[in-house]
Amino acid sequence: MALPIHASLSERIWHYTFLTICVLIFAFLIFPILIILPLSFNAQPFFSFTSEMLQLQPEAFTTKWYEEFLTSRNWQGAVRNSFIIAVFSTIISTFLGTLAALGLSRPDFPFKTTIMGLLISPMVVPLIISAAGMFFFYSRIGLQGTHVGVILAHAALATPFVVITVTATLTGFDHSLTRAAASLGSSPTHTFFHITVPLILPGVISGGLFAFITSFDEVVVVLFVGSYNQRTIPWQMFSGIREQISPTIMAVATILILISVSLLVFLELMRRRTERLRGITPH
Amino acid sequence: MATAEAENEVITTADGVPLKESLKKALWQRKKTALLLVAPLFLFVLITFLIPIFDMLIRSVDNSIAGEQFPRVVVEIRDWDLDSTELPDEATFQALIEDFKVGAEEKTISRLGRRLNYEKSGMSGLFRKTARKIEKLESPESATAAMIDIDKKWGNIETWRLIKRESGKFSSSYYLAAFDAEKNSDGSFSMKSEDQQVYISLFWRTIRLSFTITFLTIILGYPVAYLLSTVKTKTSNMLIILVLLPFWTSLLVRTSSWIALLQKEGVINDILVGIGILSDDNRLAMIHNEAGTVIAMTHILLPFMVLPLFSVMKTIPPSWVRAARSMGATPFTAFWRIYLPNTVAGIGAGGILVFILAIGYYITPALVGGTKGTLISNFIAYHISTSLNWGLAAALGTILLLLVLALYILYDKVVGINNMKLG
């Protein structure tokens, strides 16, 4: 992207205009996320900066919204529900998704495209339609407004992410390794746990991470399939924004941003580690 | 697969039957294991997801409530002609009284009243009033006269035409409503009057706004993806975090920050007033309208555009544009004739993806769209939780689903579903 020495004046002008445009677009992307942080310390119950805040007066800032988040029963219930629902739906979807990915990536799997299409359909169908269908059906069978209902719904939404990630890991899988193990007298079960599992584990972990985030961040389905007793953090935020705007939402948002930043860093470190390990493997 | 089978045949002719059979057996064994591994997930998705979707499709045409609440009336009314100018016969009115007596006792008859009220207002009230009075009615001489005595609407031929039309097991009326059409009393269809039309303009608005959002993400995503693909890997790894961070941040966090930015007393208006561009009583209305939906959704969907564009642009060697320049092309010609055509696949992939996501979006329009910036999904939600017209919600959902599936087939043709990548 560096400008060559022989660039003409018009090229130089264009180059810097282009860079300015890019900076503005990056600002558009990142500014709405950064703005949350100072607003969450606003002493006034508004979603906006007060003039005292702009003059950096210490009494214009407060941590009371964080205290409210930590003490309010509504939010505490939301945090608990979010974790319960996300953990169980992650376990279900990671287990079933990994099994299916192992089956799907076998070379002689019949009707692969059709079955794959059906299995990833929860990711493809717009959430409002999934939510509507699940709401109708789960009310019929008495799962609407129960934890089990929301967990099953979230597990269904999350499985495509597990299937796709684990299948991607398995495409680079060297099947001669399992054959080698078998030729050396290892039983299929032993081979699976000692050869296959360690090799696909990174894929399973990132698939599970995707599943966890899908459930943790999901709001449309939980709004319809769940009720107040199943309220998750996004559910609580949604109804909070609709009913009474309080900067507690900004405090929660800040905490969520910190979580996603640390997840991003974690994934980046994982990626670098894999790259480094790949670098030293012979072949 | 095909070559494996061909080889089997060759071996069979040379070596005899047993090998073929044992190979077949081994292959079947392997297929069975593969299927067994996939079966649990398939069953799970079938029960928790595919059947619910199918349930919604059925519900959009389901009219079994007529047979449940009016079991005798739907039988009697079969012989009555829609074009008839006379009321149905005494036997039908007898059946009506009996069905009402059962339905009023079980307190379920008002459901049918609500259902028919979607077609013609006043039906719900008629059913409630009749259910109240029916208990005191004791074997009258003329059932017809007794019912008309309870409410003269029972003597109106239009009431009976409506009951006759909606007496089947299935009904197309939810779809007609979803397209702003209605059935006339003689059974033909016509469009509702302009001022009653809701959904056609809503579908258009949804498509128009999705197009606008897709267009904006292309305009904003293209330069960013280009920059990412031309800088050094180290710099692009840093810069892509600026794209990934919004991508990984909760949707509600991003929506609420746009509320903080765009509202009347919000940050952007404050800045504009502060630097003197706007006067204090002239603040811009950027939220609870179409503009709010477009701005917030463009921001939310922009990463879905940048990432596929970036992955396509990475594969274009910079020497192509240099070659064009060295042969005398102006910078613009080199871009227009060489670079842009090579990125069309990325624009297509990102564009369709963003469009599909935009067309079914619910949360953001619900929070920042007000009444003018809501999309079809918001009306689906409204009919599920507020108006309780589930049949219409299911019909609107089915239409949206078909639209999205058509777009996915297009996406598959352009990129291939299997090339779908995450993050």
Side-chain angles (χ1 to χ4, degrees):
Chain A
M1 199 55 215
L3 210 55
I5 318 161
H6 54 78
S8 66
L9 180 67
S10 65
E11 276 175 335
R12 271 167 209 278
I13 292 173
W14 169 242
H15 178 76
Y16 288 111
T17 320
F18 176 75
L19 284 185
T20 316
I21 293 172
C22 285
V23 168
L24 287 175
I25 300 171
F26 277 122
F28 170 72
L29 270 170
I30 213 77
F31 183 65
I33 294 179
L34 296 182
I35 200 81
I36 299 264
L37 303 163
L39 283 179
S40 69
F41 293 102
N42 191 349
Q44 301 296 322
F46 307 134
F47 262 23
S48 187
F49 290 102
T50 55
S51 53
E52 290 83 14
M53 283 179 89
L54 296 176
Q55 289 158 14
L56 295 178
Q57 292 174 8
E59 59 268 29
F61 296 91
T62 176
T63 54
K64 68 175 173 194
W65 310 116
Y66 289 88
E67 281 160 35
E68 192 180 322
F69 169 66
L70 291 173
T71 51
S72 125
R73 267 190 60 209
N74 275 346
W75 284 105
Q76 286 317 298
V79 172
R80 203 180 47 237
N81 281 327
S82 269
F83 275 100
I84 293 175
I85 290 166
V87 165
F88 280 103
S89 58
T90 304
I91 292 172
I92 297 173
S93 56
T94 312
F95 177 69
L96 294 176
T98 308
L99 276 189
L102 285 168
L104 281 167
S105 57
R106 293 192 173 217
D108 41 7
F109 192 81
F111 311 113
K112 192 174 167 180
T113 326
T114 319
I115 293 196
M116 187 79 174
L118 285 174
L119 290 182
I120 66 166
S121 60
M123 191 175 82
V124 171
V125 173
L127 280 171
I128 186 72
I129 295 174
S130 313
M134 285 169 169
F135 171 78
F136 294 142
F137 186 68
Y138 288 15
S139 330
R140 265 187 221 271
I141 57 176
L143 281 178
Q144 201 271 334
T146 64
H147 276 82
V148 177
V150 180
I151 288 170
L152 291 180
H154 276 185
L157 293 180
T159 45
F161 296 97
V162 180
V163 172
I164 289 177
T165 355
V166 180
T167 316
T169 319
L170 282 166
T171 43
F173 187 78
D174 189 353
H175 283 280
S176 57
L177 292 175
T178 53
R179 282 198 290 272
S183 78
L184 293 172
S186 162
S187 72
T189 334
H190 191 263
T191 312
F192 178 75
F193 283 107
H194 287 87
I195 306 291
T196 314
V197 168
L199 281 169
I200 65 165
L201 200 59
V204 177
I205 290 176
S206 54
L209 209 58
F210 267 114
F212 189 87
I213 290 165
T214 307
S215 165
F216 202 75
D217 198 25
E218 204 288 324
V219 55
V220 185
V221 168
V222 77
L223 277 175
F224 288 94
V225 176
S227 62
Y228 177 75
N229 288 330
Q230 287 78 44
R231 66 189 183 281
T232 57
I233 297 172
W235 192 99
Q236 186 67 28
M237 285 183 85
F238 183 81
S239 60
I241 296 172
R242 277 214 146 166
E243 283 147 23
Q244 36 146 347
I245 291 186
S246 119
T248 315
I249 288 165
M250 292 295 171
V252 180
T254 308
I255 295 170
L256 290 182
I257 291 172
L258 292 180
I259 293 177
S260 57
V261 168
S262 35
L263 268 178
L264 203 64
V265 171
F266 175 73
L267 279 179
E268 178 65 17
L269 290 178
M270 283 264 286
R271 196 184 61 80
R272 290 203 183 156
R273 185 175 165 272
T274 324
E275 259 176 20
R276 211 174 49 237
L277 287 181
R278 284 218 178 124
I280 55 164
T281 39
H283 75 78
Chain B
M1 269 305 294
T3 51
E5 268 166 20
E7 276 168 22
N8 293 351
E9 299 248 339
V10 176
I11 294 167
T12 312
T13 45
D15 211 42
V17 187
L19 178 62
K20 182 188 177 185
E21 271 179 4
S22 70
L23 244 176
K24 218 168 154 187
K25 209 174 158 191
L27 274 175
W28 168 237
Q29 197 66 39
R30 276 164 62 187
K31 249 183 212 166
K32 212 168 70 182
T33 333
L35 281 173
L36 275 178
L37 284 169
V38 177
L41 180 64
F42 187 77
L43 277 179
F44 181 78
V45 172
L46 186 73
I47 292 168
T48 56
F49 183 79
L50 294 172
I51 291 178
I53 295 290
F54 188 72
D55 185 37
M56 183 189 77
L57 302 184
I58 295 294
R59 203 180 270 273
S60 68
V61 291
D62 180 43
N63 196 40
S64 52
I65 188 166
E68 281 161 23
Q69 298 303 323
F70 267 6
R72 298 170 191 87
V73 173
V74 294
V75 174
E76 288 295 334
I77 208 166
R78 261 181 219 150
D79 307 323
W80 187 68
D81 196 30
L82 255 186
D83 304 326
S84 167
T85 48
E86 281 168 38
L87 287 175
D89 55 8
E90 175 73 11
T92 315
F93 275 92
Q94 291 281 6
L96 182 68
I97 291 178
E98 280 174 47
D99 283 343
F100 250 104
K101 282 199 164 160
V102 175
E105 203 157 295
E106 288 170 2
K107 300 201 188 327
T108 50
I109 197 81
S110 59
R111 277 191 229 151
L112 182 60
R114 260 208 316 272
R115 159 77 185 89
L116 292 174
N117 206 55
Y118 299 143
E119 313 300 321
K120 193 169 184 244
S121 54
M123 293 305 283
S124 191
L126 172 67
F127 270 63
R128 261 181 281 128
K129 184 179 175 189
T130 313
R132 244 185 353 258
K133 294 197 172 177
I134 202 83
E135 283 163 47
K136 291 179 193 116
L137 197 69
E138 277 174 33
S139 50
E141 267 175 46
S142 158
T144 316
M147 285 311 280
I148 294 172
D149 194 40
I150 287 178
D151 194 309
K152 59 181 187 304
K153 278 186 190 143
W154 290 117
N156 187 344
I157 201 124
E158 291 299 324
T159 308
W160 287 100
R161 282 184 176 151
L162 176 63
I163 291 173
K164 165 88 182 175
R165 275 205 323 266
E166 300 301 335
S167 62
K169 270 204 163 102
F170 298 102
S171 166
S172 59
S173 61
Y174 295 124
Y175 281 97
L176 290 175
F179 286 114
D180 286 330
E182 57 190 351
K183 259 188 236 173
N184 298 322
S185 45
D186 58 354
S188 66
F189 309 125
S190 67
M191 296 303 285
K192 283 183 185 159
S193 57
E194 290 270 321
D195 55 317
Q196 286 186 350
Q197 292 192 4
V198 185
Y199 298 106
I200 298 227
S201 61
L202 186 65
F203 273 109
W204 273 123
R205 186 206 286 161
T206 306
I207 290 172
R208 185 166 49 82
L209 289 186
S210 303
F211 260 118
T212 314
I213 291 159
T214 311
F215 179 73
L216 286 174
T217 55
I218 294 173
I219 295 292
L220 295 178
Y222 204 89
V224 167
Y226 178 76
L227 183 77
L228 286 174
S229 69
T230 46
V231 294
K232 288 194 205 93
T233 320
K234 220 172 186 174
T235 326
S236 85
N237 275 346
M238 291 295 290
L239 284 177
I240 205 155
I241 290 177
L242 298 180
V243 180
L244 286 177
L245 184 60
F247 187 75
W248 278 90
T249 305
S250 164
L251 166 71
L252 276 159
V253 171
R254 287 181 280 169
T255 308
S256 45
S257 82
W258 278 110
I259 295 175
L261 285 169
L262 295 177
Q263 63 185 340
K264 274 252 160 83
E265 305 296 321
V267 178
I268 291 180
N269 266 320
D270 278 353
I271 293 175
L272 290 177
V273 171
I275 57 176
I277 292 180
L278 286 177
S279 63
D280 200 25
D281 44 354
N282 232 344
R283 289 167 172 259
L284 294 174
M286 290 179 289
I287 206 167
H288 303 309
N289 53 22
E290 283 189 11
T293 304
V294 170
I295 296 173
M297 281 180 64
T298 303
H299 176 253
I300 288 168
L301 296 176
L302 189 51
F304 290 96
M305 190 72 211
V306 173
L307 296 174
L309 268 179
F310 173 52
S311 68
V312 167
M313 286 178 177
K314 256 194 317 198
T315 62
I316 300 174
S319 56
W320 290 1
V321 171
R322 279 208 297 271
R325 292 294 309 279
S326 76
M327 287 184 275
T330 61
F332 179 76
T333 316
F335 170 76
W336 189 254
R337 301 277 304 274
I338 305 296
Y339 196 79
L340 187 66
N342 279 300
T343 57
V344 164
I347 297 177
I352 300 173
L353 190 63
V354 168
F355 192 82
I356 292 172
L357 290 169
I359 210 169
Y361 233 67
Y362 167 66
I363 294 296
T364 308
L367 291 175
V368 301
T371 48
K372 291 263 172 63
T374 43
L375 305 181
I376 196 76
S377 48
N378 302 97
F379 269 74
I380 297 177
Y382 166 78
H383 284 304
I384 291 177
S385 45
T386 311
S387 85
L388 302 182
N389 189 349
W390 290 2
L392 183 55
L396 289 170
T398 309
I399 297 167
L400 181 60
L401 180 64
L402 291 178
L403 209 63
V404 168
L405 287 183
L407 285 165
Y408 259 100
I409 292 169
L410 189 71
Y411 183 88
D412 192 30
K413 289 266 185 299
V414 177
V415 237
I417 291 279
N418 293 332
N419 294 334
M420 194 140 41
K421 279 190 195 125
L422 300 170

